[in-house]
Amino acid sequence: MEALRYYKHQEGRWYSSPLPEKLPERHVLIRIKAFGVNRADLLQAKGLYPPPKGAPDILGLEGCGVIEAVGKEVKEFKEGDKVMFLSPSGAYASHIVLPESLCLPLPSSLTFEEGAALPEALFTCYYNLKMLANLNAGEKVLVYSAAGGIGTTALQLIDHWKAKAIAVTGTEEKQQWLKKHFSVENVFCYRDKDFESKLLNTFKNEIAIIWDTVANARYCTLHEQLLIFQGRWVIIGLLGAKQPFTLKPALWLKKNLRLIASTLRNQPLSLKTRIRNELQKLLPYYEQRKLKPVIYKVLPYTAVSQAFELLRQNQVMGKVVLSFSL
């Protein structure tokens, strides 16, 4: 009888257990073909980002595969359908059981590996840019970590929604890569000694949304000056969070600014389902490859430690994906 294989990060090994014999009514059993690697996985492996209550203590927020069984109330999918999925945890495995509302059909033009690179970024970008920050056409968005998996998705969607992205990254190599491959004219390197003055001289009072994966207290004054009236500062990560923020309340009142902070993982299923339903509108653009996943490297599913090291080195441009096909 076939078994579930899953990665136990505490031991750095793969283990086996029986597959579930019965599915909840609105759930599907997916044979995973590939899964994405995210910085959240590194945090969970360190014990800093535990899965939500009731979710398995297995790494993995996204993946792609084939449905092998469906619960009796499943209406959108059938056995044999190819899907990409968002998961609260558990994607570092050969199989996963999920509500059907966390699955999206895999566009036929995408490989399993490409599908595995999309869900976490797509859900995160749509939720934060559209639902929370209400991005409008013509607005300017400052995007930190622009060369990463979520950043490259954000750049494409901002352009798709007729807004303008201004990118921030960490190396000259990434600067040139972003200019070459994306519709972004202005790319700044935060390691440049005049990074803040360059950014301020170019875009003071012009930025509608700051897409912040860093949360560096050093940039509080810079951000306050960059934002337009009714500007939105959206924090989705803490890569540089070492000191408490110091904000100027009078300026925030005068400019009607908003500070938005969110994590996707602990949101209720009802909200994730709403996001999934909205994302259906974007699938034709991925089918036509007008929008596309950006993959830095595909590795065998056993190469978890190698994938983690790539993320730690901070040289990745796009997503790292682990595949059962290699």
Side-chain angles (χ1 to χ4, degrees):
M1 181 177 177
E2 189 173 12
L4 163 69
R5 300 198 66 215
Y6 63 95
Y7 181 74
K8 199 168 183 180
H9 61 271
Q10 295 89 342
E11 284 82 25
R13 293 174 52 195
W14 286 80
Y15 288 82
S16 295
S17 66
L19 284 172
E21 295 183 0
K22 186 177 181 181
L23 298 179
E25 292 182 345
R26 296 183 179 178
H27 286 57
V28 295
L29 173 67
I30 303 168
R31 173 187 283 275
I32 298 174
K33 297 291 187 177
F35 52 92
V37 180
N38 293 281
R39 289 188 178 276
D41 303 337
L42 276 69
L43 292 175
Q44 182 176 334
K46 291 180 178 180
L48 301 176
Y49 193 32
K53 185 177 180 180
D57 188 21
I58 298 171
L59 303 178
L61 302 177
E62 62 184 342
C64 190
V66 179
I67 292 179
E68 289 202 336
V70 297
K72 62 181 181 180
E73 293 296 325
V74 168
K75 302 187 185 306
E76 296 184 52
F77 300 102
K78 63 183 184 304
E79 292 180 23
D81 284 349
K82 298 177 181 179
V83 294
M84 44 192 187
F85 62 83
L86 182 78
S87 55
S89 65
Y92 284 36
S94 62
H95 297 77
I96 193 168
V97 175
L98 289 172
E100 67 170 332
S101 62
L102 292 182
C103 300
L104 286 162
L106 176 67
S108 62
S109 63
L110 301 188
T111 65
F112 286 121
E113 289 74 21
E114 288 176 318
L118 272 179
E120 176 71 12
L122 270 181
F123 276 75
T124 299
C125 289
Y126 195 92
Y127 178 49
N128 287 280
L129 288 173
K130 274 296 189 182
M131 297 176 73
L132 295 182
N134 191 30
L135 173 64
N136 296 303
E139 291 188 317
K140 294 173 182 174
V141 185
L142 182 67
V143 180
Y144 282 90
S145 303
I150 291 180
T152 52
T153 301
L155 293 180
Q156 292 181 68
L157 291 176
I158 290 165
D159 183 59
H160 174 75
W161 289 323
K162 310 299 183 186
K164 180 178 180 180
I166 296 94
V168 178
T169 190
T171 67
E172 183 177 349
E173 179 187 8
K174 290 181 180 179
Q175 281 182 289
Q176 298 306 316
W177 180 77
L178 287 168
K179 289 179 180 178
K180 180 178 179 181
H181 294 284
F182 298 89
S183 298
V184 55
E185 296 177 10
N186 298 98
V187 184
F188 295 86
C189 179
Y190 66 82
R191 287 193 172 94
D192 290 348
K193 62 180 181 180
D194 53 355
F195 160 65
E196 295 177 54
S197 60
K198 278 184 178 179
L199 193 54
L200 191 59
N201 290 338
T202 310
F203 293 109
K204 184 176 182 179
N205 294 320
E206 292 188 19
I207 303 296
I209 298 172
I210 295 173
W211 173 265
D212 191 357
T213 61
V214 181
N216 190 330
R218 170 181 172 177
Y219 299 145
C220 286
T221 299
L222 171 67
H223 290 172
E224 289 171 333
Q225 295 180 77
L226 289 173
L227 286 168
I228 63 171
F229 180 78
Q230 295 185 343
R232 291 84 78 196
W233 180 356
V234 182
I235 298 175
I236 63 163
L238 301 172
L239 292 175
K242 297 179 181 179
Q243 300 293 331
F245 277 16
T246 302
L247 304 177
K248 301 179 182 65
L251 179 61
W252 282 71
L253 287 170
K254 180 180 179 181
K255 296 180 74 171
N256 279 233
L257 303 180
R258 278 189 287 152
L259 181 62
I260 301 168
S262 78
T263 55
L264 181 63
R265 191 180 200 184
N266 60 0
Q267 300 297 335
L269 178 61
S270 57
L271 175 59
K272 293 176 182 177
T273 300
R274 279 179 52 206
I275 301 169
R276 192 287 306 255
N277 292 341
E278 290 294 319
L279 289 176
Q280 303 271 10
K281 302 171 187 175
L282 292 173
L283 295 185
Y285 298 97
Y286 283 97
E287 179 71 46
Q288 301 160 24
R289 299 191 73 84
K290 293 179 179 178
L291 296 172
K292 55 186 179 180
V294 179
I295 294 180
Y296 178 72
K297 187 165 287 190
V298 177
L299 297 169
Y301 76 95
T302 52
V304 176
S305 59
Q306 184 181 348
F308 279 15
E309 187 57 31
L310 287 173
L311 265 63
R312 291 191 192 100
Q313 291 172 1
N314 204 28
Q315 299 302 311
V316 171
M317 290 174 279
K319 289 293 290 264
V320 176
V321 173
L322 296 177
S323 174
F324 284 93
S325 298
L326 298 181

